[in-house]
Amino acid sequence: MRFLLLAILAATASLAHAQRMGEGLWLNVDYTYTQFSYKEPNLTQKGALPGIRGDIGLGLFDNFGLTVGGEYRDGNLKYDGASFNGTNTKVVTTDYMSDTYLLANLMYGPINFYGGVGKREWLNNINGSYRRRMFTDYYPAGIIINRGGFYIKGE
Protein backbone atom coordinates (compact mmCIF):
# COMPACT_ATOMS: atom_id res chain seq x y z
CA MET A 1 0.00 0.00 0.00
CA ARG A 2 2.68 2.56 0.94
CA PHE A 3 4.60 1.77 -2.27
CA LEU A 4 1.46 2.37 -4.34
CA LEU A 5 0.93 5.75 -2.68
CA LEU A 6 4.58 6.65 -3.29
CA ALA A 7 4.29 5.68 -6.97
CA ILE A 8 1.14 7.76 -7.40
CA LEU A 9 2.71 10.79 -5.76
CA ALA A 10 5.91 10.45 -7.78
CA ALA A 11 3.90 10.18 -11.01
CA THR A 12 2.08 13.44 -10.25
CA ALA A 13 5.22 15.37 -9.34
CA SER A 14 5.01 17.39 -12.57
CA LEU A 15 1.68 18.79 -11.34
CA ALA A 16 3.22 20.12 -8.14
CA HIS A 17 1.93 23.51 -7.09
CA ALA A 18 -0.54 23.58 -9.96
CA GLN A 19 -2.44 26.35 -8.21
CA ARG A 20 -1.82 28.60 -5.23
CA MET A 21 -3.27 27.42 -1.97
CA GLY A 22 -6.57 29.10 -1.15
CA GLU A 23 -7.74 29.43 -4.76
CA GLY A 24 -10.22 26.70 -5.58
CA LEU A 25 -8.67 23.26 -5.79
CA TRP A 26 -4.92 22.72 -5.37
CA LEU A 27 -2.44 19.87 -5.57
CA ASN A 28 1.00 19.84 -3.94
CA VAL A 29 3.68 17.21 -4.39
CA ASP A 30 6.98 17.91 -2.65
CA TYR A 31 10.24 16.20 -1.88
CA THR A 32 10.94 16.60 1.82
CA TYR A 33 13.87 16.43 4.23
CA THR A 34 13.12 15.84 7.92
CA GLN A 35 15.68 16.17 10.68
CA PHE A 36 14.46 13.58 13.18
CA SER A 37 15.23 13.10 16.88
CA TYR A 38 13.60 10.58 19.25
CA LYS A 39 14.41 9.88 22.91
CA GLU A 40 13.36 7.31 25.46
CA PRO A 41 15.06 6.48 28.73
CA ASN A 42 18.48 4.99 27.84
CA LEU A 43 18.15 5.36 24.05
CA THR A 44 18.23 7.97 21.31
CA GLN A 45 17.61 7.90 17.57
CA LYS A 46 18.65 10.78 15.34
CA GLY A 47 19.11 11.40 11.67
CA ALA A 48 17.79 12.65 8.37
CA LEU A 49 14.73 11.21 6.68
CA PRO A 50 14.22 12.24 3.05
CA GLY A 51 10.76 11.72 1.69
CA ILE A 52 7.86 12.78 -0.46
CA ARG A 53 4.68 14.59 0.55
CA GLY A 54 1.46 15.05 -1.37
CA ASP A 55 -1.84 16.70 -0.64
CA ILE A 56 -4.95 17.94 -2.32
CA GLY A 57 -6.87 20.88 -0.96
CA LEU A 58 -10.00 22.89 -1.44
CA GLY A 59 -10.25 26.62 -0.72
CA LEU A 60 -13.64 27.24 0.87
CA PHE A 61 -13.24 30.96 1.59
CA ASP A 62 -10.59 33.60 0.79
CA ASN A 63 -8.24 32.54 3.59
CA PHE A 64 -9.62 29.16 4.65
CA GLY A 65 -9.30 25.70 3.12
CA LEU A 66 -9.21 21.98 3.85
CA THR A 67 -6.37 19.63 2.92
CA VAL A 68 -6.16 15.82 2.74
CA GLY A 69 -2.73 14.32 2.25
CA GLY A 70 0.11 12.10 3.24
CA GLU A 71 3.86 11.92 3.62
CA TYR A 72 6.36 9.08 3.35
CA ARG A 73 9.89 9.36 4.83
CA ASP A 74 12.57 6.70 4.58
CA GLY A 75 16.12 6.72 5.84
CA ASN A 76 18.80 5.61 8.24
CA LEU A 77 18.79 6.80 11.83
CA LYS A 78 21.65 6.52 14.29
CA TYR A 79 20.52 4.39 17.22
CA ASP A 80 22.32 4.64 20.55
CA GLY A 81 20.83 2.47 23.29
CA ALA A 82 20.28 -1.05 24.51
CA SER A 83 19.50 -4.06 22.36
CA PHE A 84 16.62 -6.41 23.14
CA ASN A 85 18.90 -8.54 25.35
CA GLY A 86 20.20 -5.46 27.24
CA THR A 87 23.66 -4.95 25.71
CA ASN A 88 24.67 -1.45 24.65
CA THR A 89 24.25 -1.00 20.90
CA LYS A 90 25.19 1.69 18.40
CA VAL A 91 23.84 0.89 14.93
CA VAL A 92 22.26 2.51 11.91
CA THR A 93 18.57 1.67 11.52
CA THR A 94 16.46 1.17 8.39
CA ASP A 95 13.32 3.03 9.44
CA TYR A 96 10.44 4.55 7.56
CA MET A 97 7.50 6.75 8.57
CA SER A 98 4.26 7.48 6.83
CA ASP A 99 1.54 9.97 7.73
CA THR A 100 -1.99 10.57 6.52
CA TYR A 101 -3.87 13.66 7.62
CA LEU A 102 -6.84 16.03 7.28
CA LEU A 103 -6.02 19.69 7.93
CA ALA A 104 -7.84 23.00 8.23
CA ASN A 105 -5.73 25.87 6.82
CA LEU A 106 -5.73 29.61 7.55
CA MET A 107 -3.74 31.27 4.76
CA TYR A 108 -2.29 34.79 4.84
CA GLY A 109 -0.15 35.39 1.75
CA PRO A 110 2.89 33.11 1.97
CA ILE A 111 2.04 31.99 5.54
CA ASN A 112 -0.24 29.03 6.25
CA PHE A 113 -1.35 28.12 9.79
CA TYR A 114 -2.85 24.64 10.00
CA GLY A 115 -4.31 22.14 12.44
CA GLY A 116 -6.09 18.83 12.12
CA VAL A 117 -6.04 15.09 12.72
CA GLY A 118 -3.74 12.41 11.41
CA LYS A 119 -2.36 8.90 11.72
CA ARG A 120 1.36 8.09 11.72
CA GLU A 121 3.06 4.76 11.14
CA TRP A 122 6.68 4.24 12.16
CA LEU A 123 8.55 1.06 11.29
CA ASN A 124 11.44 1.10 13.75
CA ASN A 125 13.97 -1.51 12.58
CA ILE A 126 17.03 -1.86 14.80
CA ASN A 127 19.12 -4.25 12.72
CA GLY A 128 20.11 -7.32 14.70
CA SER A 129 18.02 -6.36 17.73
CA TYR A 130 14.34 -5.82 17.14
CA ARG A 131 11.73 -4.55 14.75
CA ARG A 132 8.59 -2.76 15.86
CA ARG A 133 5.78 -1.03 14.03
CA MET A 134 3.96 1.76 15.86
CA PHE A 135 0.70 3.42 14.86
CA THR A 136 -0.09 6.76 16.45
CA ASP A 137 -3.07 9.08 16.22
CA TYR A 138 -1.83 12.65 16.29
CA TYR A 139 -3.12 16.20 16.06
CA PRO A 140 -0.79 18.22 13.87
CA ALA A 141 -0.62 21.98 14.32
CA GLY A 142 1.94 24.18 12.69
CA ILE A 143 2.99 26.81 10.22
CA ILE A 144 4.26 26.69 6.65
CA ILE A 145 6.11 29.64 5.13
CA ASN A 146 6.31 29.56 1.31
CA ARG A 147 8.99 31.45 -0.61
CA GLY A 148 9.93 31.04 -4.27
CA GLY A 149 8.98 27.39 -4.70
CA PHE A 150 10.46 26.34 -1.32
CA TYR A 151 8.80 26.09 2.04
CA ILE A 152 9.75 25.74 5.68
CA LYS A 153 7.41 23.78 7.90
CA GLY A 154 7.30 23.79 11.68
CA GLU A 155 5.04 21.33 13.44
Side-chain angles (χ1 to χ4, degrees):
M1 175 70 173
R2 72 176 187 271
F3 297 110
L4 176 61
L5 176 64
L6 181 62
I8 291 169
L9 294 177
T12 60
S14 62
L15 301 175
H17 302 288
Q19 213 171 20
R20 280 190 43 203
M21 290 178 70
E23 297 178 356
L25 190 65
W26 69 84
L27 170 69
N28 289 323
V29 177
D30 305 304
Y31 296 108
T32 64
Y33 178 87
T34 303
Q35 192 61 36
F36 180 80
S37 180
Y38 176 78
K39 294 182 182 183
E40 284 184 17
N42 302 319
L43 77 83
T44 60
Q45 291 189 71
K46 295 180 182 179
L49 294 170
I52 189 167
R53 177 180 77 98
D55 59 46
I56 188 165
L58 177 63
L60 300 174
F61 305 107
D62 278 345
N63 294 333
F64 180 78
L66 296 176
T67 304
V68 175
E71 185 170 356
Y72 176 82
R73 295 172 301 278
D74 197 335
N76 300 319
L77 300 175
K78 294 179 182 156
Y79 175 88
D80 185 2
S83 67
F84 197 64
N85 64 12
T87 60
N88 286 336
T89 304
K90 288 186 181 188
V91 297
V92 176
T93 69
T94 54
D95 290 7
Y96 77 78
M97 290 183 186
S98 63
D99 301 342
T100 53
Y101 50 80
L102 170 66
L103 303 175
N105 303 279
L106 291 174
M107 297 158 282
Y108 299 100
I111 299 174
N112 176 15
F113 297 98
Y114 65 87
V117 296
K119 187 151 206 89
R120 176 169 289 151
E121 175 188 5
W122 178 14
L123 175 69
N124 186 214
N125 187 13
I126 311 299
N127 299 322
S129 179
Y130 72 90
R131 179 181 175 137
R132 66 180 173 176
R133 184 177 309 240
M134 296 178 282
F135 293 92
T136 309
D137 294 328
Y138 76 110
Y139 304 96
I143 184 172
I144 297 174
I145 302 171
N146 294 290
R147 282 287 183 222
F150 293 96
Y151 70 91
I152 297 174
K153 177 180 173 181
E155 186 172 289

